[in-house]
PDB file of all heavy atoms in Angstrom:
ATOM      1  N   SER M 285     -11.157 -17.041   0.215  1.00  0.00           N
ATOM      2  CA  SER M 285     -10.889 -17.032  -1.217  1.00  0.00           C
ATOM      3  C   SER M 285      -9.730 -16.089  -1.532  1.00  0.00           C
ATOM      4  O   SER M 285      -9.449 -15.154  -0.776  1.00  0.00           O
ATOM      5  CB  SER M 285     -12.136 -16.590  -1.977  1.00  0.00           C
ATOM      6  OG  SER M 285     -12.375 -15.206  -1.755  1.00  0.00           O
ATOM      7  N   PRO M 286      -9.054 -16.302  -2.682  1.00  0.00           N
ATOM      8  CA  PRO M 286      -7.960 -15.401  -3.064  1.00  0.00           C
ATOM      9  C   PRO M 286      -8.388 -13.946  -3.183  1.00  0.00           C
ATOM     10  O   PRO M 286      -7.641 -13.043  -2.819  1.00  0.00           O
ATOM     11  CB  PRO M 286      -7.516 -15.968  -4.421  1.00  0.00           C
ATOM     12  CG  PRO M 286      -7.863 -17.410  -4.366  1.00  0.00           C
ATOM     13  CD  PRO M 286      -9.144 -17.461  -3.578  1.00  0.00           C
ATOM     14  N   VAL M 287      -9.609 -13.702  -3.691  1.00  0.00           N
ATOM     15  CA  VAL M 287     -10.087 -12.325  -3.819  1.00  0.00           C
ATOM     16  C   VAL M 287     -10.222 -11.681  -2.443  1.00  0.00           C
ATOM     17  O   VAL M 287      -9.845 -10.519  -2.222  1.00  0.00           O
ATOM     18  CB  VAL M 287     -11.431 -12.283  -4.574  1.00  0.00           C
ATOM     19  CG1 VAL M 287     -12.010 -10.872  -4.572  1.00  0.00           C
ATOM     20  CG2 VAL M 287     -11.253 -12.787  -5.995  1.00  0.00           C
ATOM     21  N   THR M 288     -10.755 -12.440  -1.487  1.00  0.00           N
ATOM     22  CA  THR M 288     -10.887 -11.927  -0.118  1.00  0.00           C
ATOM     23  C   THR M 288      -9.524 -11.646   0.481  1.00  0.00           C
ATOM     24  O   THR M 288      -9.322 -10.627   1.159  1.00  0.00           O
ATOM     25  CB  THR M 288     -11.649 -12.931   0.752  1.00  0.00           C
ATOM     26  OG1 THR M 288     -12.947 -13.163   0.188  1.00  0.00           O
ATOM     27  CG2 THR M 288     -11.803 -12.420   2.170  1.00  0.00           C
ATOM     28  N   GLU M 289      -8.561 -12.539   0.245  1.00  0.00           N
ATOM     29  CA  GLU M 289      -7.222 -12.337   0.785  1.00  0.00           C
ATOM     30  C   GLU M 289      -6.549 -11.135   0.136  1.00  0.00           C
ATOM     31  O   GLU M 289      -5.792 -10.411   0.787  1.00  0.00           O
ATOM     32  CB  GLU M 289      -6.382 -13.596   0.582  1.00  0.00           C
ATOM     33  CG  GLU M 289      -6.899 -14.766   1.404  1.00  0.00           C
ATOM     34  CD  GLU M 289      -5.930 -15.932   1.418  1.00  0.00           C
ATOM     35  OE1 GLU M 289      -4.860 -15.825   0.790  1.00  0.00           O
ATOM     36  OE2 GLU M 289      -6.239 -16.939   2.073  1.00  0.00           O
ATOM     37  N   LEU M 290      -6.834 -10.913  -1.143  1.00  0.00           N
ATOM     38  CA  LEU M 290      -6.299  -9.729  -1.811  1.00  0.00           C
ATOM     39  C   LEU M 290      -6.887  -8.467  -1.188  1.00  0.00           C
ATOM     40  O   LEU M 290      -6.171  -7.477  -0.978  1.00  0.00           O
ATOM     41  CB  LEU M 290      -6.627  -9.798  -3.303  1.00  0.00           C
ATOM     42  CG  LEU M 290      -5.794  -8.928  -4.250  1.00  0.00           C
ATOM     43  CD1 LEU M 290      -4.323  -9.263  -4.158  1.00  0.00           C
ATOM     44  CD2 LEU M 290      -6.289  -9.093  -5.677  1.00  0.00           C
ATOM     45  N   ARG M 291      -8.168  -8.513  -0.869  1.00  0.00           N
ATOM     46  CA  ARG M 291      -8.815  -7.366  -0.224  1.00  0.00           C
ATOM     47  C   ARG M 291      -8.238  -7.157   1.177  1.00  0.00           C
ATOM     48  O   ARG M 291      -8.014  -6.019   1.601  1.00  0.00           O
ATOM     49  CB  ARG M 291     -10.323  -7.590  -0.143  1.00  0.00           C
ATOM     50  CG  ARG M 291     -11.105  -6.357   0.288  1.00  0.00           C
ATOM     51  CD  ARG M 291     -12.590  -6.631   0.416  1.00  0.00           C
ATOM     52  NE  ARG M 291     -13.134  -7.196  -0.809  1.00  0.00           N
ATOM     53  CZ  ARG M 291     -13.674  -8.391  -0.917  1.00  0.00           C
ATOM     54  NH1 ARG M 291     -13.743  -9.175   0.148  1.00  0.00           N
ATOM     55  NH2 ARG M 291     -14.152  -8.829  -2.066  1.00  0.00           N
ATOM     56  N   GLU M 292      -7.983  -8.245   1.896  1.00  0.00           N
ATOM     57  CA  GLU M 292      -7.372  -8.132   3.215  1.00  0.00           C
ATOM     58  C   GLU M 292      -5.974  -7.509   3.118  1.00  0.00           C
ATOM     59  O   GLU M 292      -5.586  -6.694   3.963  1.00  0.00           O
ATOM     60  CB  GLU M 292      -7.263  -9.516   3.866  1.00  0.00           C
ATOM     61  CG  GLU M 292      -8.591 -10.106   4.303  1.00  0.00           C
ATOM     62  CD  GLU M 292      -8.425 -11.527   4.802  1.00  0.00           C
ATOM     63  OE1 GLU M 292      -7.284 -12.056   4.728  1.00  0.00           O
ATOM     64  OE2 GLU M 292      -9.412 -12.109   5.272  1.00  0.00           O
ATOM     65  N   GLY M 293      -5.246  -7.883   2.080  1.00  0.00           N
ATOM     66  CA  GLY M 293      -3.918  -7.308   1.885  1.00  0.00           C
ATOM     67  C   GLY M 293      -3.989  -5.812   1.642  1.00  0.00           C
ATOM     68  O   GLY M 293      -3.160  -5.049   2.156  1.00  0.00           O
ATOM     69  N   TRP M 294      -4.988  -5.376   0.859  1.00  0.00           N
ATOM     70  CA  TRP M 294      -5.163  -3.945   0.605  1.00  0.00           C
ATOM     71  C   TRP M 294      -5.518  -3.208   1.899  1.00  0.00           C
ATOM     72  O   TRP M 294      -5.030  -2.100   2.154  1.00  0.00           O
ATOM     73  CB  TRP M 294      -6.249  -3.739  -0.436  1.00  0.00           C
ATOM     74  CG  TRP M 294      -6.553  -2.297  -0.691  1.00  0.00           C
ATOM     75  CD1 TRP M 294      -7.679  -1.612  -0.338  1.00  0.00           C
ATOM     76  CD2 TRP M 294      -5.713  -1.348  -1.354  1.00  0.00           C
ATOM     77  NE1 TRP M 294      -7.596  -0.305  -0.731  1.00  0.00           N
ATOM     78  CE2 TRP M 294      -6.397  -0.105  -1.358  1.00  0.00           C
ATOM     79  CE3 TRP M 294      -4.448  -1.427  -1.945  1.00  0.00           C
ATOM     80  CZ2 TRP M 294      -5.863   1.048  -1.926  1.00  0.00           C
ATOM     81  CZ3 TRP M 294      -3.919  -0.278  -2.521  1.00  0.00           C
ATOM     82  CH2 TRP M 294      -4.612   0.939  -2.502  1.00  0.00           C
ATOM     83  N   GLN M 295      -6.347  -3.830   2.723  1.00  0.00           N
ATOM     84  CA  GLN M 295      -6.692  -3.213   4.004  1.00  0.00           C
ATOM     85  C   GLN M 295      -5.464  -3.088   4.892  1.00  0.00           C
ATOM     86  O   GLN M 295      -5.277  -2.063   5.562  1.00  0.00           O
ATOM     87  CB  GLN M 295      -7.783  -4.051   4.699  1.00  0.00           C
ATOM     88  CG  GLN M 295      -9.135  -3.991   4.004  1.00  0.00           C
ATOM     89  CD  GLN M 295     -10.135  -4.966   4.578  1.00  0.00           C
ATOM     90  OE1 GLN M 295      -9.784  -5.878   5.331  1.00  0.00           O
ATOM     91  NE2 GLN M 295     -11.403  -4.795   4.209  1.00  0.00           N
ATOM     92  N   GLU M 296      -4.621  -4.124   4.908  1.00  0.00           N
ATOM     93  CA  GLU M 296      -3.387  -4.051   5.683  1.00  0.00           C
ATOM     94  C   GLU M 296      -2.468  -2.957   5.132  1.00  0.00           C
ATOM     95  O   GLU M 296      -1.808  -2.235   5.881  1.00  0.00           O
ATOM     96  CB  GLU M 296      -2.660  -5.399   5.645  1.00  0.00           C
ATOM     97  CG  GLU M 296      -3.316  -6.494   6.439  1.00  0.00           C
ATOM     98  CD  GLU M 296      -3.207  -6.251   7.938  1.00  0.00           C
ATOM     99  OE1 GLU M 296      -2.165  -5.725   8.377  1.00  0.00           O
ATOM    100  OE2 GLU M 296      -4.169  -6.571   8.656  1.00  0.00           O
ATOM    101  N   PHE M 297      -2.420  -2.843   3.824  1.00  0.00           N
ATOM    102  CA  PHE M 297      -1.563  -1.854   3.173  1.00  0.00           C
ATOM    103  C   PHE M 297      -2.003  -0.430   3.522  1.00  0.00           C
ATOM    104  O   PHE M 297      -1.178   0.434   3.824  1.00  0.00           O
ATOM    105  CB  PHE M 297      -1.614  -2.076   1.655  1.00  0.00           C
ATOM    106  CG  PHE M 297      -0.753  -1.133   0.862  1.00  0.00           C
ATOM    107  CD1 PHE M 297       0.607  -1.356   0.731  1.00  0.00           C
ATOM    108  CD2 PHE M 297      -1.319  -0.032   0.237  1.00  0.00           C
ATOM    109  CE1 PHE M 297       1.404  -0.487  -0.009  1.00  0.00           C
ATOM    110  CE2 PHE M 297      -0.547   0.841  -0.504  1.00  0.00           C
ATOM    111  CZ  PHE M 297       0.823   0.610  -0.627  1.00  0.00           C
ATOM    112  N   THR M 298      -3.307  -0.177   3.489  1.00  0.00           N
ATOM    113  CA  THR M 298      -3.817   1.175   3.746  1.00  0.00           C
ATOM    114  C   THR M 298      -3.951   1.475   5.238  1.00  0.00           C
ATOM    115  O   THR M 298      -4.035   2.642   5.627  1.00  0.00           O
ATOM    116  CB  THR M 298      -5.180   1.373   3.077  1.00  0.00           C
ATOM    117  OG1 THR M 298      -6.093   0.348   3.519  1.00  0.00           O
ATOM    118  CG2 THR M 298      -5.045   1.294   1.555  1.00  0.00           C
ATOM    119  N   LEU M 299      -3.970   0.437   6.082  1.00  0.00           N
ATOM    120  CA  LEU M 299      -4.114   0.641   7.523  1.00  0.00           C
ATOM    121  C   LEU M 299      -2.929   1.400   8.109  1.00  0.00           C
ATOM    122  O   LEU M 299      -3.091   2.259   8.986  1.00  0.00           O
ATOM    123  CB  LEU M 299      -4.267  -0.719   8.225  1.00  0.00           C
ATOM    124  CG  LEU M 299      -4.290  -0.705   9.756  1.00  0.00           C
ATOM    125  CD1 LEU M 299      -5.549   0.014  10.256  1.00  0.00           C
ATOM    126  CD2 LEU M 299      -4.232  -2.127  10.298  1.00  0.00           C
ATOM    127  N   ARG M 300      -1.734   1.089   7.623  1.00  0.00           N
ATOM    128  CA  ARG M 300      -0.517   1.714   8.144  1.00  0.00           C
ATOM    129  C   ARG M 300      -0.166   2.918   7.274  1.00  0.00           C
ATOM    130  O   ARG M 300       0.292   2.757   6.146  1.00  0.00           O
ATOM    131  CB  ARG M 300       0.622   0.706   8.153  1.00  0.00           C
ATOM    132  CG  ARG M 300       0.381  -0.457   9.103  1.00  0.00           C
ATOM    133  CD  ARG M 300       1.312  -1.612   8.814  1.00  0.00           C
ATOM    134  NE  ARG M 300       1.206  -2.641   9.819  1.00  0.00           N
ATOM    135  CZ  ARG M 300       0.254  -3.570   9.853  1.00  0.00           C
ATOM    136  NH1 ARG M 300      -0.674  -3.570   8.904  1.00  0.00           N
ATOM    137  NH2 ARG M 300       0.221  -4.470  10.805  1.00  0.00           N
ATOM    138  N   GLN M 301      -0.318   4.089   7.841  1.00  0.00           N
ATOM    139  CA  GLN M 301      -0.091   5.307   7.073  1.00  0.00           C
ATOM    140  C   GLN M 301       1.322   5.374   6.519  1.00  0.00           C
ATOM    141  O   GLN M 301       1.538   5.771   5.380  1.00  0.00           O
ATOM    142  CB  GLN M 301      -0.376   6.539   7.941  1.00  0.00           C
ATOM    143  CG  GLN M 301      -0.287   7.853   7.174  1.00  0.00           C
ATOM    144  CD  GLN M 301      -0.337   9.046   8.095  1.00  0.00           C
ATOM    145  OE1 GLN M 301       0.580   9.278   8.871  1.00  0.00           O
ATOM    146  NE2 GLN M 301      -1.431   9.799   8.041  1.00  0.00           N
ATOM    147  N   TRP M 302       2.303   4.962   7.311  1.00  0.00           N
ATOM    148  CA  TRP M 302       3.687   5.060   6.863  1.00  0.00           C
ATOM    149  C   TRP M 302       3.957   4.160   5.663  1.00  0.00           C
ATOM    150  O   TRP M 302       4.850   4.450   4.849  1.00  0.00           O
ATOM    151  CB  TRP M 302       4.653   4.735   8.000  1.00  0.00           C
ATOM    152  CG  TRP M 302       4.529   3.360   8.596  1.00  0.00           C
ATOM    153  CD1 TRP M 302       3.728   2.986   9.627  1.00  0.00           C
ATOM    154  CD2 TRP M 302       5.223   2.184   8.186  1.00  0.00           C
ATOM    155  NE1 TRP M 302       3.878   1.646   9.896  1.00  0.00           N
ATOM    156  CE2 TRP M 302       4.802   1.127   9.028  1.00  0.00           C
ATOM    157  CE3 TRP M 302       6.172   1.918   7.205  1.00  0.00           C
ATOM    158  CZ2 TRP M 302       5.287  -0.165   8.913  1.00  0.00           C
ATOM    159  CZ3 TRP M 302       6.662   0.625   7.082  1.00  0.00           C
ATOM    160  CH2 TRP M 302       6.223  -0.405   7.927  1.00  0.00           C
ATOM    161  N   VAL M 303       3.180   3.089   5.497  1.00  0.00           N
ATOM    162  CA  VAL M 303       3.381   2.183   4.359  1.00  0.00           C
ATOM    163  C   VAL M 303       2.900   2.833   3.069  1.00  0.00           C
ATOM    164  O   VAL M 303       3.643   2.945   2.086  1.00  0.00           O
ATOM    165  CB  VAL M 303       2.664   0.839   4.594  1.00  0.00           C
ATOM    166  CG1 VAL M 303       2.735  -0.026   3.340  1.00  0.00           C
ATOM    167  CG2 VAL M 303       3.296   0.100   5.768  1.00  0.00           C
ATOM    168  N   TRP M 304       1.648   3.292   3.049  1.00  0.00           N
ATOM    169  CA  TRP M 304       1.124   3.821   1.787  1.00  0.00           C
ATOM    170  C   TRP M 304       1.698   5.194   1.460  1.00  0.00           C
ATOM    171  O   TRP M 304       1.880   5.524   0.275  1.00  0.00           O
ATOM    172  CB  TRP M 304      -0.397   3.827   1.761  1.00  0.00           C
ATOM    173  CG  TRP M 304      -1.113   4.707   2.741  1.00  0.00           C
ATOM    174  CD1 TRP M 304      -1.665   4.336   3.929  1.00  0.00           C
ATOM    175  CD2 TRP M 304      -1.394   6.109   2.600  1.00  0.00           C
ATOM    176  NE1 TRP M 304      -2.260   5.410   4.554  1.00  0.00           N
ATOM    177  CE2 TRP M 304      -2.113   6.515   3.752  1.00  0.00           C
ATOM    178  CE3 TRP M 304      -1.127   7.054   1.617  1.00  0.00           C
ATOM    179  CZ2 TRP M 304      -2.552   7.822   3.952  1.00  0.00           C
ATOM    180  CZ3 TRP M 304      -1.552   8.364   1.801  1.00  0.00           C
ATOM    181  CH2 TRP M 304      -2.254   8.738   2.952  1.00  0.00           C
ATOM    182  N   VAL M 305       2.031   5.978   2.470  1.00  0.00           N
ATOM    183  CA  VAL M 305       2.655   7.270   2.209  1.00  0.00           C
ATOM    184  C   VAL M 305       4.034   7.076   1.573  1.00  0.00           C
ATOM    185  O   VAL M 305       4.384   7.748   0.593  1.00  0.00           O
ATOM    186  CB  VAL M 305       2.760   8.092   3.512  1.00  0.00           C
ATOM    187  CG1 VAL M 305       3.748   9.245   3.342  1.00  0.00           C
ATOM    188  CG2 VAL M 305       1.397   8.637   3.903  1.00  0.00           C
ATOM    189  N   THR M 306       4.798   6.154   2.109  1.00  0.00           N
ATOM    190  CA  THR M 306       6.136   5.896   1.562  1.00  0.00           C
ATOM    191  C   THR M 306       6.040   5.325   0.151  1.00  0.00           C
ATOM    192  O   THR M 306       6.797   5.720  -0.742  1.00  0.00           O
ATOM    193  CB  THR M 306       6.914   4.924   2.473  1.00  0.00           C
ATOM    194  OG1 THR M 306       6.946   5.447   3.800  1.00  0.00           O
ATOM    195  CG2 THR M 306       8.328   4.732   1.974  1.00  0.00           C
ATOM    196  N   THR M 307       5.114   4.402  -0.074  1.00  0.00           N
ATOM    197  CA  THR M 307       4.943   3.826  -1.407  1.00  0.00           C
ATOM    198  C   THR M 307       4.554   4.890  -2.424  1.00  0.00           C
ATOM    199  O   THR M 307       5.100   4.935  -3.541  1.00  0.00           O
ATOM    200  CB  THR M 307       3.874   2.720  -1.373  1.00  0.00           C
ATOM    201  OG1 THR M 307       4.277   1.694  -0.470  1.00  0.00           O
ATOM    202  CG2 THR M 307       3.682   2.115  -2.754  1.00  0.00           C
ATOM    203  N   LEU M 308       3.620   5.758  -2.060  1.00  0.00           N
ATOM    204  CA  LEU M 308       3.199   6.830  -2.962  1.00  0.00           C
ATOM    205  C   LEU M 308       4.355   7.777  -3.258  1.00  0.00           C
ATOM    206  O   LEU M 308       4.575   8.178  -4.409  1.00  0.00           O
ATOM    207  CB  LEU M 308       2.031   7.590  -2.338  1.00  0.00           C
ATOM    208  CG  LEU M 308       1.435   8.739  -3.163  1.00  0.00           C
ATOM    209  CD1 LEU M 308       0.893   8.218  -4.489  1.00  0.00           C
ATOM    210  CD2 LEU M 308       0.341   9.455  -2.376  1.00  0.00           C
ATOM    211  N   SER M 309       5.107   8.130  -2.225  1.00  0.00           N
ATOM    212  CA  SER M 309       6.248   9.031  -2.404  1.00  0.00           C
ATOM    213  C   SER M 309       7.278   8.437  -3.351  1.00  0.00           C
ATOM    214  O   SER M 309       7.780   9.109  -4.264  1.00  0.00           O
ATOM    215  CB  SER M 309       6.881   9.330  -1.040  1.00  0.00           C
ATOM    216  OG  SER M 309       8.066  10.077  -1.194  1.00  0.00           O
ATOM    217  N   PHE M 310       7.572   7.158  -3.178  1.00  0.00           N
ATOM    218  CA  PHE M 310       8.606   6.552  -4.004  1.00  0.00           C
ATOM    219  C   PHE M 310       8.109   6.161  -5.387  1.00  0.00           C
ATOM    220  O   PHE M 310       8.920   5.925  -6.291  1.00  0.00           O
ATOM    221  CB  PHE M 310       9.246   5.364  -3.270  1.00  0.00           C
ATOM    222  CG  PHE M 310      10.332   5.813  -2.353  1.00  0.00           C
ATOM    223  CD1 PHE M 310      10.038   6.285  -1.097  1.00  0.00           C
ATOM    224  CD2 PHE M 310      11.651   5.838  -2.772  1.00  0.00           C
ATOM    225  CE1 PHE M 310      11.032   6.751  -0.255  1.00  0.00           C
ATOM    226  CE2 PHE M 310      12.648   6.296  -1.951  1.00  0.00           C
ATOM    227  CZ  PHE M 310      12.347   6.759  -0.686  1.00  0.00           C
ATOM    228  N   ALA M 311       6.813   6.112  -5.580  1.00  0.00           N
ATOM    229  CA  ALA M 311       6.307   5.977  -6.944  1.00  0.00           C
ATOM    230  C   ALA M 311       6.710   7.203  -7.757  1.00  0.00           C
ATOM    231  O   ALA M 311       7.159   7.095  -8.908  1.00  0.00           O
ATOM    232  CB  ALA M 311       4.794   5.806  -6.927  1.00  0.00           C
ATOM    233  N   VAL M 312       6.577   8.377  -7.144  1.00  0.00           N
ATOM    234  CA  VAL M 312       6.980   9.621  -7.821  1.00  0.00           C
ATOM    235  C   VAL M 312       8.490   9.666  -8.009  1.00  0.00           C
ATOM    236  O   VAL M 312       8.999  10.023  -9.085  1.00  0.00           O
ATOM    237  CB  VAL M 312       6.499  10.846  -7.017  1.00  0.00           C
ATOM    238  CG1 VAL M 312       6.972  12.137  -7.680  1.00  0.00           C
ATOM    239  CG2 VAL M 312       4.984  10.841  -6.886  1.00  0.00           C
ATOM    240  N   ILE M 313       9.241   9.300  -6.966  1.00  0.00           N
ATOM    241  CA  ILE M 313      10.704   9.307  -7.053  1.00  0.00           C
ATOM    242  C   ILE M 313      11.192   8.344  -8.133  1.00  0.00           C
ATOM    243  O   ILE M 313      12.083   8.669  -8.929  1.00  0.00           O
ATOM    244  CB  ILE M 313      11.327   8.958  -5.687  1.00  0.00           C
ATOM    245  CG1 ILE M 313      11.042  10.073  -4.682  1.00  0.00           C
ATOM    246  CG2 ILE M 313      12.834   8.721  -5.808  1.00  0.00           C
ATOM    247  CD1 ILE M 313      11.464   9.747  -3.263  1.00  0.00           C
ATOM    248  N   ASN M 314      10.607   7.156  -8.187  1.00  0.00           N
ATOM    249  CA  ASN M 314      11.000   6.177  -9.201  1.00  0.00           C
ATOM    250  C   ASN M 314      10.694   6.665 -10.610  1.00  0.00           C
ATOM    251  O   ASN M 314      11.485   6.466 -11.538  1.00  0.00           O
ATOM    252  CB  ASN M 314      10.281   4.844  -8.956  1.00  0.00           C
ATOM    253  CG  ASN M 314      10.810   4.126  -7.730  1.00  0.00           C
ATOM    254  OD1 ASN M 314      11.892   4.422  -7.245  1.00  0.00           O
ATOM    255  ND2 ASN M 314      10.034   3.186  -7.214  1.00  0.00           N
ATOM    256  N   ALA M 315       9.531   7.300 -10.770  1.00  0.00           N
ATOM    257  CA  ALA M 315       9.163   7.817 -12.088  1.00  0.00           C
ATOM    258  C   ALA M 315      10.124   8.913 -12.521  1.00  0.00           C
ATOM    259  O   ALA M 315      10.591   8.937 -13.674  1.00  0.00           O
ATOM    260  CB  ALA M 315       7.728   8.357 -12.058  1.00  0.00           C
ATOM    261  N   ALA M 316      10.451   9.832 -11.611  1.00  0.00           N
ATOM    262  CA  ALA M 316      11.377  10.919 -11.936  1.00  0.00           C
ATOM    263  C   ALA M 316      12.765  10.385 -12.246  1.00  0.00           C
ATOM    264  O   ALA M 316      13.418  10.817 -13.205  1.00  0.00           O
ATOM    265  CB  ALA M 316      11.434  11.916 -10.776  1.00  0.00           C
ATOM    266  N   GLY M 317      13.222   9.409 -11.450  1.00  0.00           N
ATOM    267  CA  GLY M 317      14.553   8.846 -11.680  1.00  0.00           C
ATOM    268  C   GLY M 317      14.632   8.049 -12.966  1.00  0.00           C
ATOM    269  O   GLY M 317      15.610   8.153 -13.716  1.00  0.00           O
ATOM    270  N   ALA M 318      13.606   7.249 -13.252  1.00  0.00           N
ATOM    271  CA  ALA M 318      13.611   6.441 -14.468  1.00  0.00           C
ATOM    272  C   ALA M 318      13.594   7.310 -15.716  1.00  0.00           C
ATOM    273  O   ALA M 318      14.348   7.077 -16.671  1.00  0.00           O
ATOM    274  CB  ALA M 318      12.416   5.491 -14.472  1.00  0.00           C
TER     275      ALA M 318
END
């Protein structure tokens, strides 16, 4: 189901530390720049 696939995507996103760390870091950078 789409909900299950969305959950799988979140698991893939959080599985790789470099992915979520970079995303979190650039959320702050984007907010400061904007």
Side-chain angles (χ1 to χ4, degrees):
S285 71
V287 174
T288 301
E289 294 191 0
L290 200 59
R291 190 182 305 117
E292 289 174 356
W294 176 251
Q295 291 172 346
E296 288 290 324
F297 181 81
T298 55
L299 174 66
R300 295 164 172 81
Q301 185 190 68
W302 60 271
V303 173
W304 64 261
V305 164
T306 305
T307 300
L308 181 61
S309 174
F310 275 83
V312 177
I313 293 173
N314 289 342

